[in-house]
């Protein structure tokens, strides 16, 4: 059942879902977004709620469950294979990051999609446009690899070239070139380092 | 949906693709909210009720009710089911005001025999074109979750587990034994914090 949309309604050409893209979502040249269904629980009122860099692929099963202050920045050449991002803060994903199936990136372990659960925040005005000093609540560094089913909680700070093993749960810093594995997670050096 | 004030979706249809009637054996309390009918696509229970949701239970798009013909799931009022996958061959009972977050699996059964030869027999029975009536028995035991429990992202709750009221289960925790009321459990294997 297609609805009548205003003239400026942004719809992906290939989309099976007619929800449309929110106005404050920026897609760079050559990126791929599987469907606007990713914005089913999206309430961000930031100047730019989600930005997707050039040639990054956002595939089936990915969701941006953002509260009014939620913001996700995705760099160039990233692969998001089906991740749920649940935040009212800033999630910063640098270039070349690889995020596997069934990963959840969330500010809290017992997360509920903020679009429905944080209704009281509707009285809070969005912060000023153009603000650039906001600190990420969760950061994923350049070329980091997040394995299937891993959970990244508030405080997770994944360094460049680091790997989070499948099924691990991380809520702190993982230095560059390090493997984080297990629950609670342990840190181990990776044999292969950037030369 | 007969005769209840439950709603599916946001009251305006986003498409005809997902909003047919639910089977009669799925009973919804007053004011339930179901985001997506597809959550019940794998509900093969022959019991009635197969699924019993209390008043004002919320079921998000990520929730999945995967019930064997013998399975039954009951959820208490005001619970929020964000992303539980109920793998149920016996019975899973969830209390009131429980929050279950993304990618949580609750499995009340092994679903396959532990004995290797019986498992080969099971593999032939469940193979395409196989005879499901020749499946050997496997172990199941009910799961009981108390009131006001929170279950964190990606946790795994295994068969026979009872979680006491007010307990908190951390992200990615694997729970294979009973959890006392009010306890905070984290890790794999899960330990009290």
């Amino acid at each position: 059942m297609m609805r009548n949309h205003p003239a400026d309604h942004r719809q992906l050409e290939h989309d099976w879902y007619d929800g449309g893209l929110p106005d404050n979502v920026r897609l760079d040249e050559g990126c791929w977004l599987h469907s606007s269904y990713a914005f089913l629980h999206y309430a961000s009122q930031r100047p730019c709620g989600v930005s997707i860099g050039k040639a990054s692929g956002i595939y089936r099963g990915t969701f941006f469950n953002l509260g009014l202050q939620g913001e996700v920045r995705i760099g160039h050449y990233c692969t998001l294979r089906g991740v749920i991002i649940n935040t009212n803060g800033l999630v910063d994903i640098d270039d070349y990051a690889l995020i596997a199936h069934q990963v959840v990136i969330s500010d809290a372990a017992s997360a509920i999609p903020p679009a429905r659960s944080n209704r009281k925040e509707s009285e809070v005005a969005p912060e000023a446009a153009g603000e650039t000093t906001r600190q990420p609540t969760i950061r994923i560094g350049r070329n980091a690899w997040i394995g299937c089913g891993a959970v990244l909680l508030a405080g997770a700070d994944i360094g460049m070239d680091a790997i989070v093993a499948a099924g691990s749960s991380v809520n702190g810093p993982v230095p560059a070139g390090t493997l984080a594995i297990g629950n609670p997670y342990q840190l181990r050096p990776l044999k292969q380092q950037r030369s | 949906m007969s005769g209840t004030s439950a709603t599916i979706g946001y009251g305006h249809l986003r498409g005809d693709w997902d909003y047919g009637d639910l089977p009669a054996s799925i009973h919804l309390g007053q004011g339930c909210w179901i985001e997506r009918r597809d959550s019940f696509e794998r509900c093969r229970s022959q019991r009635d009720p197969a699924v019993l949701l209390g008043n004002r239970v919320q079921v998000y798009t990520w929730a999945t009710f995967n019930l064997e013909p013998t399975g039954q799931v009951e959820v208490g009022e005001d619970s929020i089911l964000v992303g539980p996958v109920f793998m149920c061959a016996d019975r899973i009972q969830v209390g009131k005001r429980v929050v279950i977050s993304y990618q949580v699996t609750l499995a009340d059964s092994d679903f396959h025999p532990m004995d290797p030869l019986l498992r080969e027999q099971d593999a032939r029975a469940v193979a395409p074109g196989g005879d499901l009536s020749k499946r050997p028995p496997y172990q199941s035991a009910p799961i009981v979750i108390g009131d006001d429990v929170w279950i964190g992202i990606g946790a795994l709750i295994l068969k026979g587990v009872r979680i006491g009221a007010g307990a908190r289960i951390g992200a990615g925790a694997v729970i294979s034994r009973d959890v006392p009321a009010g306890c905070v459990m984290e890790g794999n294997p899960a330990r009290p914090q």
Side-chain angles (χ1 to χ4, degrees), chain A residues 26 33 36 40 51 60-61 75 86 93 104-105 110 136 141-142 150 156-157 163 171 175 189-190:
Chain A
R26 199 191 79 218
L33 174 63
S36 59
L40 185 67
S51 61
R60 184 183 184 135
N86 188 107
I93 301 172
V104 180
I105 297 172
S110 54
R142 181 187 167 108
D157 186 355
I163 297 178
N171 61 356
L190 284 164

Side-chain angles (χ1 to χ4, degrees), chain B residues 14-38:
Chain B
R14 278 289 171 87
D16 295 331
W17 50 279
D18 206 12
Y19 299 109
D21 283 342
L22 292 170
S25 62
I26 295 173
H27 296 256
L28 307 179
Q30 295 290 314
C32 281
W33 176 79
I34 312 290
E35 186 157 58
R36 181 168 158 267
R37 182 187 183 279
D38 201 44

Side-chain angles (χ1 to χ4, degrees), chain A residues 28 35 53 82-83 96-97 106 121 134 136 143 165-166 179 189:
Chain A
D28 283 0
S35 173
V83 51
Y96 296 95
S106 170
E121 291 179 65
R134 197 176 190 207
N143 202 36
L179 172 70

Side-chain angles (χ1 to χ4, degrees), chain B residues 1 8 31 33 45 69 78 88 91 98 111 120 123 155-156 162:
Chain B
M1 296 295 301
I8 293 188
W33 176 79
S45 177
D78 296 302
C88 179
R91 181 172 157 81
V98 171
F111 296 102
E120 287 193 358
L156 179 53
R162 302 177 73 93

Side-chain angles (χ1 to χ4, degrees), chain B residues 111-135:
Chain B
F111 296 102
H112 306 279
M114 293 299 289
D115 179 89
L117 288 176
L118 287 178
R119 203 156 63 246
E120 287 193 358
Q121 180 188 331
D122 188 60
R124 287 189 292 274
V126 300
D131 181 357
L132 288 174
S133 70
K134 292 188 174 156
R135 292 197 71 181

Side-chain angles (χ1 to χ4, degrees), chain A residues 121-160:
Chain A
E121 291 179 65
S122 58
E123 293 160 18
V124 180
E127 291 170 43
E131 182 210 18
T132 55
T133 56
R134 197 176 190 207
Q135 291 299 310
T137 38
I138 296 171
R139 195 186 70 86
I140 297 174
R142 181 187 167 108
N143 202 36
W145 186 359
I146 314 299
C148 179
V151 181
L152 303 186
L153 297 170
D157 186 355
I158 316 300
M160 184 167 78

Side-chain angles (χ1 to χ4, degrees), chain A residues 5-168:
Chain A
H5 296 298
D8 61 349
H9 177 80
R10 290 202 296 161
Q11 183 75 22
L12 297 165
E13 275 181 31
H14 56 266
D15 206 342
W16 61 273
Y17 184 67
D18 76 335
L21 289 177
D23 288 337
N24 61 347
V25 170
R26 199 191 79 218
L27 304 183
D28 283 0
E29 190 183 346
C31 76
W32 169 265
L33 174 63
H34 174 258
S35 173
S36 59
Y37 197 61
F39 298 96
L40 185 67
H41 286 279
Y42 179 89
S44 175
Q45 293 185 7
R46 301 288 297 182
C48 183
V50 171
S51 61
I52 301 173
K54 68 179 183 185
S56 282
I58 313 301
Y59 299 101
R60 184 183 184 135
T62 299
F63 286 91
F64 298 101
N65 298 348
L66 306 190
L68 295 173
Q69 299 297 334
E71 186 174 353
V72 178
R73 299 174 187 162
I74 300 170
H76 308 314
Y77 300 103
C78 292
T79 300
L80 277 64
R81 198 59 197 81
V83 51
I84 297 173
I85 302 178
N86 188 107
T87 185
N88 203 29
L90 168 60
V91 172
D92 193 348
I93 301 172
D94 206 347
D95 301 346
Y96 296 95
L98 173 54
I99 306 179
H101 299 81
Q102 295 189 303
V103 170
V104 180
I105 297 172
S106 170
D107 298 341
S110 54
I112 302 168
R116 279 177 62 83
S117 61
N118 291 356
R119 278 180 184 151
K120 288 174 195 162
E121 291 179 65
S122 58
E123 293 160 18
V124 180
E127 291 170 43
E131 182 210 18
T132 55
T133 56
R134 197 176 190 207
Q135 291 299 310
T137 38
I138 296 171
R139 195 186 70 86
I140 297 174
R142 181 187 167 108
N143 202 36
W145 186 359
I146 314 299
C148 179
V151 181
L152 303 186
L153 297 170
D157 186 355
I158 316 300
M160 184 167 78
D161 298 334
I163 297 178
V164 175
S168 304

